[in-house]
Amino acid sequence: MSAHSGASADIPDGMNPNAAETWPSPELIASWLGSEAYEIEPLGPGEGSAVPTDDPARQAEARHFRDVLGRFASGVTVVTATSGGEPVGMTCQSFSSVSLDPPLVLFVPAKTSRAWPLIQRSGRFCVNFLADGQAELSNQMASRGTDKFAGVAWHPSEATGSPVLEGSLAHVDCSVHAVHEAGDHWVVIGRVLHLATAPEDAPVDPLLFYRGKYGTTR
């Protein structure tokens, strides 16, 4: 993905200047956004990939890829931001810590995602770790709709003002540090600005995703 001229002037405050190399033009962001603000987000390895439906062999390979990668149990997060004055969110299981010094994390949205361009445009995001019992919230944030936050309790994060979802186990508040192309996904590196766990009396069991189903550690 090539950078556009003058890209650094369009990068939000707090972003690593080197991210200019991977920052898209306003025109490209607008083309991603289209007329709809939300779309189904993939929840599972390889979901949302553009595999031709008229190619049975590639369909079988994609199904095998998802089946094998589905044997890796992961936590479930909701990545949030505020874009255009409105809360934005997407369910994402592809999340990881990256570095302690400097503090970096990553998440991996699909190129087909409609929520990611909104998050990228804001230049900052908050990763919410979901707790057992929040599967319905996960589904709501992963579904198509004009208001994913209907009935959802949240408050602005300390550093970026991104939504912190009530009942989540912890959250990590970040600025977009860099974005790298990776096949049919983007690898988004976030610079951690603030992070916190839920109060001591809050639920402690995580929401997990394994072989296409929700679970927990119990």
Side-chain angles (χ1 to χ4, degrees):
M1 180 171 152
S2 61
H4 64 290
S5 61
S8 59
D10 299 321
I11 296 177
D13 293 339
M15 178 177 289
N16 188 314
N18 293 335
E21 297 179 0
T22 56
W23 193 252
S25 67
E27 293 77 18
L28 184 56
I29 291 178
S31 73
W32 287 339
L33 294 178
S35 59
E36 300 180 18
Y38 304 94
E39 188 168 283
I40 296 173
E41 301 293 347
L43 184 62
E47 299 295 339
S49 301
V51 178
T53 57
D54 59 351
D55 189 333
R58 290 187 63 187
Q59 284 285 314
E61 290 175 359
R63 182 70 265 169
H64 182 59
F65 180 87
R66 289 192 288 264
D67 288 345
V68 172
L69 272 293
R71 299 298 179 100
F72 180 73
S74 70
V76 181
T77 74
V78 170
V79 180
T80 62
T82 300
S83 182
E86 298 294 330
V88 179
M90 58 175 286
T91 300
C92 181
Q93 77 176 107
S94 300
F95 167 81
S96 178
S97 60
V98 175
S99 168
L100 185 61
D101 185 18
L104 302 174
V105 297
L106 69 78
F107 75 97
V108 186
K111 287 186 176 179
T112 55
S113 169
R114 293 293 184 110
W116 159 239
L118 290 165
I119 295 171
Q120 184 176 30
R121 185 168 64 181
S122 75
R124 54 207 67 203
F125 61 90
C126 184
V127 182
N128 295 264
F129 303 167
L130 297 193
D132 182 29
Q134 291 187 308
E136 183 176 345
L137 175 60
S138 172
N139 289 335
Q140 182 168 330
M141 290 292 172
S143 65
R144 183 189 299 272
T146 57
D147 188 3
K148 292 185 179 182
F149 284 80
V152 175
W154 62 274
H155 63 271
S157 62
E158 180 174 316
T160 72
S162 303
V164 175
L165 306 179
E166 299 295 335
S168 57
L169 295 179
H171 67 273
V172 182
D173 209 12
C174 307
S175 63
V176 175
H177 184 75
V179 181
H180 304 286
E181 187 174 13
D184 50 19
H185 283 64
W186 302 110
V187 176
V188 181
I189 309 294
R191 175 66 179 261
V192 179
L193 305 177
H194 180 262
L195 68 173
T197 58
E200 291 295 329
D201 59 350
V204 295
D205 292 315
L207 181 66
L208 301 180
F209 199 71
Y210 178 65
R211 299 186 69 179
K213 297 180 180 179
Y214 292 113
T216 187
T217 51
R218 288 180 283 106

